[in-house]
Amino acid sequence: MARWAAGVALVLAGVGLQMASHAAAQSAFTAVATAADPGLFLFTSALQLSGLVTFFNATGRNITLFAPSDQALLAALPALNLNQSQLVTNAVLMAPVLMYHAFVPATNNASVPPGISYYNALNTDGSVSGNQLAITRTVSGGLRVTSIGSDANVIKVDLPNSGSTVVHVVDAVLLPFYPSVYSAVARTSALSTLAALVGSASASLVSKLQDTTGVYTVFAPYNAAFTAALAPSGLNTTIAQLAAQPALLQSILSYHVVPGLYNASSFSTTPITVTTLTGQKLTLVKDGTSLSVKTADGMTANLLQARDLPCGFTDQGTFRATVHVIDKVLVPPPVTSVAAALALRTDVNTLLAAVKAEGSYSAAINSTTFTGTLLAPIDSAFTALLAANGSISAAQLLGNTTALKKILDAHVVTGSVLTVAGLTNGQNITTSGGATITVVKTGTTTQLKLGNSVVSVVGAEVAIGSSATLIVIDGVLVPSGVSTVTSGGGGGAAAATTPSFVLMLWSVVAAALLLAFQRLQ
């Protein structure tokens, strides 16, 4: 608070002079600037810095103003993606947010009827906007205000010195946008089914959607779309049954989320192809005034609302994310094999090449009947290992198919369809090679431990049909006792430490086999 005070001292000096010149006038600004308990120091400064002081200092205004307390403004900074200094330098961009706190007519506490009343907030020029505020008279007699992106309680009513206007103090900033795409889904009644399913999703997906700095486009099926999709003619399941299948749920929800901002103006008569969180494609199409999104297998969903649901305020006064309400649930084309699941990613090329080089798992990962789980290390994990030690030669690798198989065996769990949400702390998992992996869960972090190897799970699993899953990890699981053996003489049997073997394995595979066997062709 002290730093803020220093930052706006000159502004407040100007405010004081302006108030002195209007000492006899009663206005919304006078009421705000003279309020003592609770103090409205920051809101007073914001009105001045944003250029709105002239509007609110005018007498004869027939308006109601909800003034956020100092604590409310400070608490709102994360949702606004601003710090105190940025709030000062970006105050002009805050003008639409500040004006969203005002509406016509002047309505004192006694005039608010029981139940819910709706009012249209004002634009920066004082005209009436299309953004509504809902005021609810609570059972206890108090007032609660619901805005697009937030809710607030009125903590003081009918401030004095307001003239013909009415000023109430609220305990939260009223937001004319959604702080995140998660908030947009959760606060839109037509998306309540989707909101319930998102609540059952993996922590990693929820975290992405809750991130106020995340740049995403969400295609959100409205409630009737889920009713149709879950019917016997569709997925033939219930909301509860879908929520109880984390791999399938994760696949469906992630298929509706696209990294990047694609608002309504992004749609064109020239189709645009985008990539979802599952790695699969969607096509955005504009036909006249109609906007639609199409799946690779021909399903078309139409956007139902004429405007985007704006999410994630930036320090440029724009929005970094959006939600589109659509009339169908987008069901991702089925992933029928481990190879198909790997093909959706761009960061598992080294693993693909290693599988081809060793050979014994090539048939399994292409099979549509494989039952089990593949733990898939990403390329960057191997890159880090290569940077640490690259002393083992290609000849040693090529003569060590036994050790190579043991490494791959440690990443395959046959007969068990694992999900990230289903893993429990301390759980032991037996791999196809007979090694035992121990699960370590701390908060939202899931790790797997095998010997001296500790790796973290990256995101949620990918469902492969109904009998397999793919779980991506950030390291290589190396069984105890794995060593390399050179072939054909010239150096003898070189027993290597576990880290050295891994370095040798992935450096040679990545360099010599990646291009040839990248997609198992």
Side-chain angles (χ1 to χ4, degrees):
M1 186 73 74
R3 287 190 299 172
W4 173 272
V8 297
L10 293 177
V11 173
L12 289 183
V15 172
L17 292 174
Q18 186 163 1
M19 287 180 56
S21 64
H22 294 274
Q26 306 292 293
S27 67
F29 183 73
T30 306
V32 168
T34 57
D37 183 22
L40 303 176
F41 179 87
L42 300 183
F43 189 59
T44 302
S45 304
L47 292 179
Q48 177 73 7
L49 290 164
S50 65
L52 295 177
V53 65
T54 301
F55 178 85
F56 286 106
N57 207 27
T59 58
R61 295 282 188 198
N62 181 33
I63 60 175
T64 301
L65 175 64
F66 292 111
S69 66
D70 290 343
Q71 291 75 16
L73 264 169
L74 288 174
L77 292 179
L80 295 169
N81 293 302
L82 300 173
N83 56 38
Q84 293 185 30
S85 296
Q86 289 171 324
L87 189 57
V88 172
T89 58
N90 293 277
V92 172
L93 300 177
M94 285 285 293
V97 177
L98 299 176
M99 286 298 287
Y100 185 55
H101 291 71
F103 67 85
V104 175
T107 307
N108 60 27
N109 180 45
S111 301
V112 178
I116 304 176
S117 304
Y118 295 93
Y119 302 90
N120 285 341
L122 301 182
N123 293 314
T124 53
D125 62 359
S127 62
V128 176
S129 75
N131 292 328
Q132 282 190 329
L133 295 171
I135 304 177
T136 303
R137 175 72 71 183
T138 65
V139 175
S140 62
L143 299 178
R144 184 165 177 80
V145 186
T146 300
S147 68
I148 291 174
S150 61
D151 302 317
N153 296 303
V154 176
I155 55 177
K156 192 166 187 177
V157 299
D158 304 338
L159 290 189
N161 305 317
S162 61
S164 61
T165 64
V166 171
V167 179
H168 306 300
V169 181
V170 289
D171 65 356
V173 173
L174 305 174
L175 301 175
F177 61 89
Y178 300 97
S180 65
V181 292
Y182 183 94
S183 173
V185 171
R187 294 179 65 84
T188 302
S189 59
L191 302 178
S192 59
T193 301
L194 176 61
L197 290 171
V198 169
S200 301
S202 70
S204 62
L205 178 59
V206 172
S207 178
K208 283 184 175 68
L209 301 184
Q210 288 178 330
D211 184 2
T212 59
T213 64
V215 182
Y216 296 108
T217 298
V218 175
F219 295 99
Y222 76 140
N223 295 339
F226 273 102
T227 300
L230 299 178
S233 59
L235 294 173
N236 192 27
T237 188
T238 65
I239 294 295
Q241 289 169 338
L242 180 57
Q245 301 178 70
L248 177 60
L249 176 62
Q250 184 78 15
S251 175
I252 290 176
L253 294 181
S254 297
Y255 192 51
H256 291 78
V257 182
V258 176
L261 174 62
Y262 297 92
N263 52 30
S265 62
S266 301
F267 285 68
S268 169
T269 52
T270 300
I272 301 170
T273 300
V274 298
T275 303
T276 72
L277 288 182
T278 67
Q280 295 160 297
K281 307 295 184 182
L282 295 173
T283 302
L284 312 184
V285 179
K286 180 178 182 181
D287 184 6
T289 59
S290 299
L291 306 180
S292 60
V293 55
K294 297 185 177 182
T295 67
D297 55 358
M299 176 184 290
T300 298
N302 299 306
L303 276 64
L304 293 180
Q305 295 190 343
R307 65 185 181 90
D308 311 303
L309 300 184
C311 310
F313 193 70
T314 74
D315 61 3
Q316 301 302 309
T318 58
F319 303 103
R320 68 182 77 242
T322 191
V323 172
H324 300 295
V325 180
I326 58 176
D327 64 356
K328 287 186 178 68
V329 175
L330 304 174
V331 179
V335 179
T336 58
S337 69
V338 174
L342 290 170
L344 294 174
R345 300 189 66 94
T346 60
D347 57 356
V348 290
N349 294 325
T350 309
L351 175 62
L352 282 166
V355 169
K356 181 62 178 181
E358 193 277 327
S360 66
Y361 282 106
S362 293
I365 71 168
N366 282 286
S367 172
T368 58
T369 60
F370 170 74
T371 300
T373 302
L374 174 65
L375 306 173
I378 56 177
D379 294 331
S380 60
F382 308 135
T383 301
L385 290 171
L386 291 170
N389 186 341
S391 62
I392 304 224
S393 69
Q396 288 173 310
L397 168 65
L398 295 175
N400 202 330
T401 55
T402 300
L404 176 55
K405 187 175 190 310
K406 288 181 180 179
I407 289 287
L408 294 177
D409 284 346
H411 295 80
V412 179
V413 182
T414 54
S416 297
V417 184
L418 303 177
T419 64
V420 177
L423 297 175
T424 58
N425 188 47
Q427 176 182 353
N428 289 327
I429 301 167
T430 302
T431 70
S432 67
T436 299
I437 296 172
T438 301
V439 178
V440 180
K441 275 201 166 184
T442 307
T444 59
T445 300
T446 300
Q447 293 181 311
L448 305 177
K449 184 176 181 180
L450 174 61
N452 293 325
S453 306
V454 179
V455 305
S456 295
V457 172
V458 180
E461 71 284 343
V462 176
I464 302 167
S466 60
S467 64
T469 54
L470 175 74
I471 296 179
V472 180
I473 55 178
D474 69 354
V476 180
L477 295 165
V478 183
S480 300
V482 170
S483 63
T484 64
V485 179
T486 58
S487 63
T497 63
T498 292
S500 296
F501 171 73
V502 175
L503 295 175
M504 173 276 296
L505 166 65
W506 296 113
S507 62
V508 175
V509 171
L513 303 174
L514 178 57
L515 294 179
F517 304 113
Q518 184 175 21
R519 293 302 179 195
L520 301 178
Q521 296 177 351

